[in-house]
Amino acid sequence: MSHRRIPKRKAVLAGAGAVGVAAAAMLLPHANASQSGSGSEPKGEPRTLSASAAQDLVSQLGPELGDAYAGAYYDADKQQVIVNVSGDSNEVIVQVNEAGAVARPVENSMGELKSAADTLAREATIPGTAWAVDPRTNQVLVTADRTVAGDSWNRLESAVKSLDSGMARIQKTAGEFKPFLEGGDAIFGGGSRCSLGFNVTTGDGQPGFLTAGHCGVADDQWSEDPNGAPIGTVQEATFPGEGDFALVTYDDPATEAPSTVDLGNGETLDIVGADDAAVGQEVFRMGSTTGLNSGQVTGLDATVNYPEGTVTGLIQTNVCAEPGDSGGALFTRDGSAIGLTSGGSGDCTSGGETFFQPVTTALAAVGAQIGAGDVGGDQGQGEGQDQDQEQGGQDEAGQDEDGQDEAGQEAGQEAGQDEAGQEAGQDQGDFDGN
């Protein structure tokens, strides 16, 4: 739990596949890694960016493009930002390309896609369904679990068909959408098991942690052992509704609440701040049931219709999870807090769709912060990003304290280079991901 003494050994994040970390890898501390965003790219050429830098670029470009902006995603293989552009404005395409992204003309505008999602919310709020805008296909992706059948399926299919052609598509998943309530570290309350997400500091300086909202409404006190003495009390919880998050404060104000994620096997990863997710981004999830797993972000601002009610504003991924993983941490290999495990379908044998509460939204709602950072996004990162931009073309979000670019590190992993190990002073180590 959060009050343990932190091991000196830091985790080394091995290269991950689409669904999970395939095997442990040994850190080669002095392997060369290419620098991204070095300023060598000609103006108008796509820039090589880390996922966090890509999100920063999209956050800047989106408002500037206005109605022409139709979503964006991160091409992890090419380390490029793809920006969807609706309409026939060549000026907008030039603007996107000059910013270092790749402009992609599409049919459906963001306004049309959001209108389609609103129609689904009115006509197809059926337990076992979920939808999110998929910028890679320029459609609303609607997912139905195995419980959606008969009249419910007909209703869903009718709602999708009522939309303009090419606006939405339906996919089936073999599992059942449900919060992963049961069993970072395990926490127990009211006969339920969940997972601790991220340690935080509240607005008045108290130590606490974030977990899933459906855990917070299940019981108001949580312990680190089944039927054990409570260590924390729920202060706020949202579920269902506009999110799935809860703030729990430690009952002992002297509790040490380090900004780390427990990766198992005595290893931890420092969490340097919170950041927003980007479609196509590689992410890792830690939960008390299934341990460490990885995958990609597949959708943002997702709506999920659980049996308990509708939850909006979630991150959709292909990272597996199982009951008991609820509330667990979703993060990046460079130590950015991304999400809290909410629910989904499937398991870590067959896979499935999994949904997460954005950490930045939860922090802003409860008025807390991770570590000594600022509330909301860019904690522990924004200042260095600005400095990177001013100092000659280094990638604005990929810098760590040693000046090593995150995207370059990922590109250099084939030679065994790992960012987490650099930040830990070139420690050597490995871990298994399932």
Side-chain angles (χ1 to χ4, degrees):
M1 289 295 295
S2 59
H3 51 280
R4 294 176 181 163
R5 182 176 63 85
I6 305 174
K8 292 183 179 179
R9 184 185 184 197
K10 294 293 190 295
V12 176
L13 291 180
V19 178
V21 181
M26 186 62 69
L27 176 67
L28 301 179
H30 299 295
N32 293 324
S34 62
Q35 296 280 338
S36 82
S38 63
S40 59
E41 301 91 338
K43 187 174 182 181
E45 291 295 318
R47 295 171 58 194
T48 299
L49 298 172
S50 67
S52 56
Q55 181 60 38
D56 287 346
L57 180 58
V58 169
S59 298
Q60 173 188 337
L61 268 179
E64 292 179 356
L65 300 181
D67 293 341
Y69 175 73
Y73 62 97
Y74 182 60
D75 186 329
D77 291 334
K78 296 182 179 179
Q79 296 181 321
Q80 295 174 351
V81 181
I82 313 300
V83 176
N84 293 337
V85 177
S86 64
D88 55 1
S89 174
N90 288 329
E91 292 182 1
V92 172
I93 293 176
V94 170
Q95 181 180 354
V96 170
N97 291 338
E98 287 188 345
V102 178
R104 175 184 178 229
V106 294
E107 184 69 23
N108 301 320
S109 70
M110 184 57 71
E112 290 170 330
L113 293 170
K114 288 184 176 179
S115 178
D118 290 342
T119 298
L120 293 171
R122 290 192 304 270
E123 301 181 6
T125 299
I126 302 164
T129 62
W131 51 80
V133 173
D134 182 356
R136 291 169 296 188
T137 62
N138 189 226
Q139 292 178 317
V140 177
L141 175 60
V142 182
T143 306
D145 72 15
R146 66 186 179 192
T147 68
V148 182
D151 290 342
S152 294
W153 173 259
N154 292 336
R155 178 182 166 193
L156 177 64
E157 194 173 39
S158 177
V160 171
K161 287 182 177 179
S162 72
L163 304 173
D164 290 342
S165 176
M167 190 66 65
R169 74 184 193 280
I170 303 177
Q171 69 175 13
K172 292 279 289 184
T173 183
E176 180 179 346
F177 288 148
K178 55 188 176 182
F180 289 131
L181 180 64
E182 185 193 321
D185 289 328
I187 52 176
F188 301 86
S192 300
R193 177 182 178 184
C194 284
S195 298
L196 187 152
F198 299 98
N199 279 322
V200 299
T201 302
T202 66
D204 58 1
Q206 295 185 68
F209 62 85
L210 296 176
T211 189
H214 64 267
C215 300
V217 301
D219 197 10
D220 61 357
Q221 288 191 311
W222 290 82
S223 65
E224 60 181 330
D225 299 302
N227 302 315
I231 63 165
T233 302
V234 176
Q235 301 300 323
E236 299 183 45
T238 296
F239 179 84
E242 296 180 358
D244 185 1
F245 58 90
L247 171 66
V248 181
T249 54
Y250 290 105
D251 295 336
D252 181 357
T255 297
E256 295 181 9
S259 186
T260 60
V261 169
D262 183 355
L263 300 178
N265 299 320
E267 296 177 334
T268 64
L269 178 71
D270 289 340
I271 298 299
V272 298
D275 206 351
D276 295 321
V279 172
Q281 179 181 24
E282 177 193 48
V283 285
F284 296 83
R285 178 196 58 75
M286 185 64 186
S288 63
T289 299
T290 58
L292 185 70
N293 289 274
S294 72
Q296 286 188 338
V297 175
T298 59
L300 303 176
D301 197 21
T303 295
V304 186
N305 296 300
Y306 293 125
E308 296 85 352
T310 299
V311 180
T312 60
L314 301 183
I315 301 165
Q316 185 169 349
T317 80
N318 60 12
V319 185
C320 73
E322 296 181 8
D325 289 329
S326 281
L330 184 75
F331 53 95
T332 63
R333 68 172 60 246
D334 66 338
S336 293
I338 299 294
L340 307 165
T341 307
S342 174
S345 68
D347 53 39
C348 287
T349 299
S350 62
E353 290 75 33
T354 308
F355 302 93
F356 295 83
Q357 164 66 44
V359 170
T360 52
T361 305
L363 289 171
V366 302
Q369 61 185 20
I370 288 179
D374 297 325
V375 176
D378 298 329
Q379 295 183 49
Q381 299 173 358
E383 182 179 351
Q385 292 167 0
D386 293 340
Q387 291 173 353
D388 293 341
Q389 277 186 312
E390 294 171 0
Q391 291 175 0
Q394 288 290 358
D395 182 19
E396 63 267 29
Q399 292 288 322
D400 63 17
E401 292 178 358
D402 297 322
Q404 177 64 52
D405 182 87
E406 172 192 8
Q409 290 167 342
E410 293 176 357
Q413 285 167 6
E414 294 179 359
Q417 183 66 34
D418 186 279
E419 174 187 6
Q422 290 179 330
E423 293 179 349
Q426 307 295 352
D427 288 342
Q428 291 197 358
D430 55 72
F431 71 83
D432 290 319
N434 299 310

